[in-house]
Amino acid sequence: MTMVMALTISLSAMAQALQLKLNNVTVKKAMTELHQKSGYSFVYEGSDLNIDKTINVDAATLNQAIEQILSGQDVKYEIKNKNIVVSKTTAKAPAQNAKRKVMGRVTDPTGEAVIGASVIEKGTSNGVITDFDGNFTITVDSDSKLQFSYIGYQTVEQDAKASMNITLQEDKQVLDEVVVVGYGVQKKSSVTGAIASVKSEDLENRTASNALQALQGKTAGVNISSSGAAPGSSSTVRIRGIGSNGDCPPLYVVDGRIASDINGIDPNDIESIEVLKDAASAAIYGAQAGNGVILVTTKKGKGKGTITYNLQLASQSVAKTPKVMNSEQYIDYYTEKGNFSMEDVYRNWDFKTNTDWNDVAFENSMMQRHNITFSGAGERGSFYVSGSYLSDDGIVKGNKDKYQRFTGMINANYKVKDWIEVGVNTQIEYYKASFVSEYNNSGIYGNMFLGVLQLDPLTRPLYGADELPQNMKTILRGYQAGRNGELLGDRNGNYYGISSFSSSDNLNPLLLRDKGINQRRGHGINGMAYLNLTPTEGLVITSRLGYALTSYETYGVDFDYYANAQAFQNFVKVSGSNGSPASYQWENFINYTRDFGQHNVNVMLGTSFSESRTFGLDGSYRGTDGDLGFQQDNPLYWYFAYATGNAIKELSGGEAIFTRKNSYFGRASWNYADKYYAQFSLRADAADLSVLPKPKRWGYFPAVSGGWVISEEKFMQGTASWLTHLKLRASWGQNGSTASLGDYAYLSSIASVGNYPFSNDRSYTIGNAPTSTGNEELKWETSEQIDLGVDARFLRNRLTFSVDYFKKKTKDLIVSGITPSTVVGNTASPINAGNIENSGFEFELGWQDNIGDFRYGIRANLATLKNKVTYLHPSLTEGINGTSFPGYATITKFEIGQPAWYFYGYEYTGVDKNTGDPTFADRDGNGSIGDNDKTYIGKSIPDFTYGITLTASYKGFDAIVFGSGSQGNDIFSCLNREDYAINKLIHFTEDRWSASNPNGHNPRAAANEMSKYAVSSANVFDGSYFKIKQIQLGYTLPKKAAKYVLMDNVRAYVSLEDFFTFSSYVGFDPETTTIDMGSYPTSKKVVFGLNVTF
Amino acid sequence: MKTTIYKFFCAVLIVVGLCACEDQLDIEKHGSMNFDTYYQTDQEAESAVAAIYFQHRDIEFFYTLLKNLFSDDFWAGGGGRNDNPDLEAMNEFTFDTNNSYIEELFTSYYQIIYKANVVLAYVQPDSPVKQQMIAEAKVFRAWSYFELISLWGNPPVVDHPLDPSEYERTNGTDEELWGLVERDLTEAIESGHLTSKSSLNDDSNYRVTREYAYALLGKAYLWQKKYDQAAQAFEKVIGSGLYDLYQGEYNKILTSDNENGVESLFESNRIVDLDNIWDNSRFYMVMLNWRMDNFISVPSAYGLYNVGYGYCPPRKSLYEAFVAEEGVDGYRLNQSIKTFEQMTADGVAVNASLYTEGYFDWKLRYEAKDALDWGCCNNNQRWMRYAEVLLCAAEAYARTGNNAKVKEYMDKIRQRARVTTKDSYTLADVKTEKRLELFGECVRYQDLLRWDDDNDGTGALTMLANQGSQYPMMATNGSVSYRSANTEGKYGFKTRHQHLPYPFKEVSQNPSISQNPGWE
């Protein structure tokens, strides 16, 4: 009531008639005039008002006069008695001037209300936010403009009217997205290199525990693979092919911090991943960037405070089970081969057992993850806090293959002063994993998945104590007599079946699962604290400290057991290790941006110093023969403290290893009228002595790039109706790689080769010898790359297209372990001994449109790749040997004129119709088959890889279908061994030659030359595949309904992941296989998920 | 003003930060010494020679398997056909230039030579210890070249650590190579710095001795058909009185009960040290041991380790050679080889077919008491026994017509073996005796190569001609059947096998080396 009274009084005062007309007077003079005419005095603080400003006044009422005197100044006034009290305003006083009330509704193109859109009176801070129905009410100056904005939509600006219904269009201005580059950000429109950007929507709601897995197939030229799909396993990333004979991982940079991997970041916490594919973009990271750079940007708080919760539940099962022989086929094959007779079968088989080891080994298992985030932002700062929990019990029966991870993220920044901003990005991780034996950790011997494929079907998974076959009885008797060579079982009185027919290492999968414990756990606190100074406009000085404080531990137990001569252990071995790698990185750089007319210039200069330190201990205790090594054969005793006095202990580590790097870098960018772009960068990197000799320590890595937006040119105006944007890009640069260096490889020094006892006492003379021949000329591997690209958008931005061509040459490849000649007698130090070339085209195509409420989009990418070794040191004319098929021969080679690590072996030419023996191409024509006849028989590098994502939505429903594939890659299957009576893929045994089947297409059982057959093209398969990786169907509750459950947004979805694979490969999974030696197979998943926002 | 000061202060901090310190990058290597200042003291010289002993001990696996399987005494064996294709290819002479055993052995000899060359190049003979070390390095270098020459013919001469510009070596001539062997051994002996055993029963000397150097010199002369010089060299050993034939149970000759005994000229030492068991990795013993998982029962009295892969089972033809000389009940035969029949009588049974003709090595066996762990065995590897010296001397005398000496030494061998002595012995008798006495001790194959020159059908071209036509499988009841192993005509010892091929790896990297005839 008081308010209303006061208003009335002042309104009457303001309406008071008064004539005042003044020209070119100061505010102060006008105030004096008004006082004299009306008796009203101005009361104000000196700093609030500019009284020397020159004004004109032409007023008919008191309030008009006051308004005109104060116009253009950021003040409000109040009339109290005869005083006009003037004060500074932050929000313009309402109901002054001619105010109007505006009401309206904001909707999206589908007519759905946009909740939380901001409606702002232009040029003021006066604003409101739309409510749950998209409605808003705001009072504004009558002649003002209103701005309507919402994240992801184009901002709309309209003159204020009493009633406004606004439809926001989705922001398709992808060109104005910000793209993260090294030491800065750029508008996508100004990018002159080849940078792929994957946004959070492609990472969210997938089952991948590691964001890299979610990247696969989403962008061209980035190939993500893994050599096994065990829970928590990491991926191998190859950007634009294979750039080295050694390891060629990309460089990971998380919010500016150089990281060794990104496994500890929940994909839900990632805002975007940028892949710097071309040399010029990556060159700002110099010596570490030769294999491309992956920049990860984590989420920051935005807008009003929100809480989100995401839930995901997945049921997993083995995706594909290869076909192996059943009992009848197995007996048939091996009696034919002569490994055992029918008598042996009668003696050791019960005439009914026909075990399918897939059923024994695998089960349906659950994965669950929870993710909760709290975020928000104000004018001066923002915060983002999240926590997640992931638990993945893999598809192997039981929980020996389980991965659990907790992650947290704390990102915050605050503008302490107008010119100082501080912030932290912190990722916290804790994980624990237990795993079973597979190729990655056990090789091909004692590998559980080879057990599944190779153990005969005549053996049962479990035998009761009273039904043991002869071989198991013998073992049990031996154990009972000597407590040595235990028969393992399920601890319910049943024993794991051991084959009577085959004594290979690849045993009963249950036994392989349970003959040991393998656990790993660790934590990490990684992040970056930064300070941005803006001493003057356009200049930003950044100082930032990155840190990675990590710790890991492993615990393993190998039990005593006996299966056969290949597979047994007479002692218990407990091993443990822990370590605490820590690193820091301090970087200082300045960015200066300035416009000179149409010219825009940015210069960046900086320095970086990093150090990493590892310290760890690795030890084990185990028994001697006849002494288990631990006081009791009991899990409660399986710790170092309870080892027996005789136990053998081993200990290693305890040595702090440092590596350090020192770098300087700079970049200059220029553009003219957003039409012409050019950029130059240079980085100088110095490695420490463990990497390179001092004179070769420094490497310099330059790059240039340019862009031309043709569509901005006048002569292109005619095409504007259909061609919205067309840009040409070109870049060139050099980068380095040190992945193959380290540990003083270049240095010849004197070190111990072993100890020799010259008496029977326990005393030794240390044998010292030169470690290697030494190579003081060693230098970095350097890659040089050109990239030509075109970006285009058509038809009102609905169609986007880009294509890149690249040619990347890596020279001075570091070759280790070579013997320049076998008579030198010492290991040669690594030398720079080769060149390799990768080239290819990358296409990205997108289409987005809507038909009424139905909105849909397609994104597709395709990358071709040609890889060739172009030079090797003359001492390596026969190439470098790679992987071996254990027991047989080398099957991959790195050789001039061939793709890296191509498959090398005999060319299988079919079965000899007379003998049933395999035959091979006699390439040297000398009448016999020998090493000279070995040749190229395949390659693991695909001709092209592709991915396609389809999205659609209608009202509350949405759908995603995503598939990816590769074409032209081969798989070398090492599943067909000739030693032992192992089970085999039917592919190798069906329709085999025999006297009665002389046209059989497989060699007879017991054929000659089978050791050549094992390393021939008969084992090389087409590894091309297409996999539908995701089919997701979601439903979002209408906003009103969500409101009733007190939530802003609720979406539920179901998804099928890795469900359909199209491939002709006969083994487990072509996606995780290049050389098949039994890796953890991919599972298919049925997923239920929920996304809730409060 | 305050703000300006702050801004200035921050800017200064950052400029300081820009000047990182390059000297932080000078991180020194742990656990190694500087090449340029090493090899000065006695201790450093001893350490450099210990590295040779270590490297030499390490060669056993490839050395023994290669020599066993190239001989006519063994089958490839193992868990079954194709269990180890490389070994089968060696036994059947179907290997080619890429065989890993040939490459590894060739490379290993040069690794020993390199370590010897390092000693000879960098250690100055300015103290008795250093002079001894130099002499020992020469013995190892000579031994390695003897091996290389006898197996490959004309391998490159490398007598100093090579500079990269010298990597592409040509083949050595006979004169250069044998000259190097004779010179190294002679110089080592004449230096007076090699040690000797202190007495017949001294079992403490694990170094290469003066007498061992003489024995090697004798073998080098024998190989060069310098029979008189050979006999003289062997007489130096025999005349020293420091060695004799072991008179205990014959089957204990190679066991750990008899390490560095009266009969040993040189052994690689291994000790029981549970904290360093992998220093005693003798994987060869596991390879050789019977295929234990296929045996249902083995009497504990046998004392065998319960793990073995069953490679290198003796051939029936060897057994028959024993029988011809000493009958089926021969003492030495029964102490050297067990037959399946004998084993069955002891209660042994097998549960699967075995890649053997029913004969099992007993002389060199993997005893459970020596097993430190799977593949770790503390029994010493014997490189040369006194019996070999006597038989080599006997051969030299047989060729020079000194029949009395032949009889003296042959009688000694046969008396210990409890075989009746003869009134006189022919060269053929000596050859047979050598095969039986030294079976499994890595001398047979080189003898077969050498004896081709005698044109009396005792050489490799005859004895190994059929190797690889078939392979045996013994069923659980002991019956043996034979299966074809290779395509007709593509197996067996041929003229080109008189020398091993230089490894593919060497030939492909070294354009200066000439491959042996038939292997190009």
Side-chain angles (χ1 to χ4, degrees), chain B residues 219 383-393 434 438 443:
Chain B
K219 284 180 80 170
W383 293 98
M384 194 190 283
R385 283 201 287 134
Y386 186 55
E388 188 186 345
V389 175
L390 290 178
L391 287 164
C392 284
K434 206 173 178 194
L438 297 172
V443 295

Side-chain angles (χ1 to χ4, degrees), chain A residues 393-406:
Chain A
D393 180 0
I395 51 175
V396 169
K397 258 185 200 163
N399 57 6
K400 277 281 174 67
D401 57 335
K402 189 168 182 175
Y403 178 69
Q404 283 172 284
R405 184 182 70 191
F406 299 84

Side-chain angles (χ1 to χ4, degrees), chain A residues 314-336:
Chain A
S315 166
Q316 321 179 76
S317 56
V318 64
K320 183 191 168 199
T321 52
K323 278 200 192 112
V324 294
M325 294 187 282
N326 63 23
S327 290
E328 193 189 327
Q329 292 163 327
Y330 175 85
I331 292 168
D332 211 37
Y333 183 83
Y334 279 106
T335 50
E336 200 174 316

Side-chain angles (χ1 to χ4, degrees), chain A residues 337-339 347 419 470-471 474 477 503 533-535 541-543 562 564-566 568 570-571 586 588 606-607 609 611 622 624-625 646 648-650 655-662 664 686-690 694 697-698 743-744 747-751 753-771 773 819-826 874-875 877-878 887-888 906 927-928 930-932 978-980 1008-1011, chain B residues 3 6-7 10-11 13-14 17-22 24-35 38-39 46-48 50-51 53-54 57 79 81-83 85-86 96-99 103 106-107 110-111 114-115 118 156 158 162 167 169 203-204 206-207 259 266-279 291-296 305-309 351 353 371-374 476 483-487 490 503-506 508-510:
Chain A
K337 195 175 169 193
N339 285 54
R347 206 169 48 235
W419 53 277
Q470 184 59 47
N471 63 324
T474 308
R477 262 205 313 273
S503 57
L533 303 177
T534 323
I541 301 173
T542 303
S543 180
Y562 193 91
N564 60 48
Q566 305 294 315
F568 66 90
N570 298 335
F571 52 82
W586 188 31
N588 295 292
T607 173
F609 181 81
E611 173 181 299
R622 59 187 192 144
T624 56
D625 223 62
N646 291 343
I648 298 164
K649 52 184 179 292
E650 281 176 16
E655 181 182 1
I657 307 281
F658 285 90
T659 56
R660 298 192 183 101
K661 287 187 194 78
N662 187 13
Y664 300 95
D688 67 53
L689 284 186
S690 70
K694 205 164 181 174
R697 157 182 295 177
W698 283 96
D743 203 21
Y744 303 87
L747 186 67
S748 178
S749 56
I750 306 293
V753 294
N755 299 322
Y756 193 85
F758 283 102
S759 75
N760 284 327
D761 304 331
R762 259 185 59 173
S763 72
Y764 298 93
T765 304
I766 296 167
N768 278 329
T771 50
T773 54
T819 330
S821 156
T822 54
V823 304
V824 172
N826 194 7
S875 71
T877 48
E878 295 299 328
Y888 295 93
Y906 299 103
S928 70
D931 285 321
N932 288 337
E978 281 300 306
D979 47 356
Y980 309 115
N1008 289 322
E1009 308 287 7
M1010 289 306 277
S1011 60
Chain B
T3 309
Y6 285 144
K7 286 178 184 175
C10 291
L13 259 184
I14 282 162
L18 288 171
C19 307
C21 324
E22 196 186 322
Q24 289 281 305
L25 302 176
D26 298 340
I27 305 170
E28 292 220 62
K29 190 180 179 185
H30 297 169
S32 71
M33 284 158 286
N34 191 329
F35 197 126
Y38 201 69
Y39 302 112
E46 285 175 320
S47 179
Y53 279 87
F54 186 85
R57 189 175 71 180
R81 189 68 184 167
N82 282 311
D83 190 5
D86 268 356
D96 58 27
T97 59
N98 239 339
N99 183 286
E103 179 188 307
F106 184 82
T107 310
Y110 277 102
Q111 284 168 343
Y114 171 77
K115 291 194 168 65
V118 165
V158 179
L162 296 180
Y167 283 175
R169 307 297 284 176
D203 61 357
S204 66
Y206 280 105
R207 308 200 75 96
E259 284 181 347
F266 183 50
E267 292 184 7
S268 278
N269 194 23
R270 298 178 186 280
I271 60 173
V272 181
D273 175 359
L274 294 180
D275 288 333
N276 293 290
I277 54 169
W278 287 103
D279 282 358
R291 189 83 198 175
M292 298 308 271
D293 64 328
N294 290 342
F295 286 77
I296 297 172
Y305 187 50
N306 66 350
V307 183
Y309 291 166
N351 64 8
S353 308
L372 299 172
D373 182 10
W374 179 89
T476 47
R483 296 180 195 169
S484 126
N486 290 289
T487 317
K490 292 187 175 163
F504 185 67
K505 195 170 175 183
E506 176 62 24
S508 64
Q509 295 176 15
N510 179 358

Side-chain angles (χ1 to χ4, degrees), chain A residues 76 344 886 941 982 994 1079:
Chain A
K76 61 184 180 185
D344 296 325
I941 300 171
I982 58 165
S994 66
S1079 40

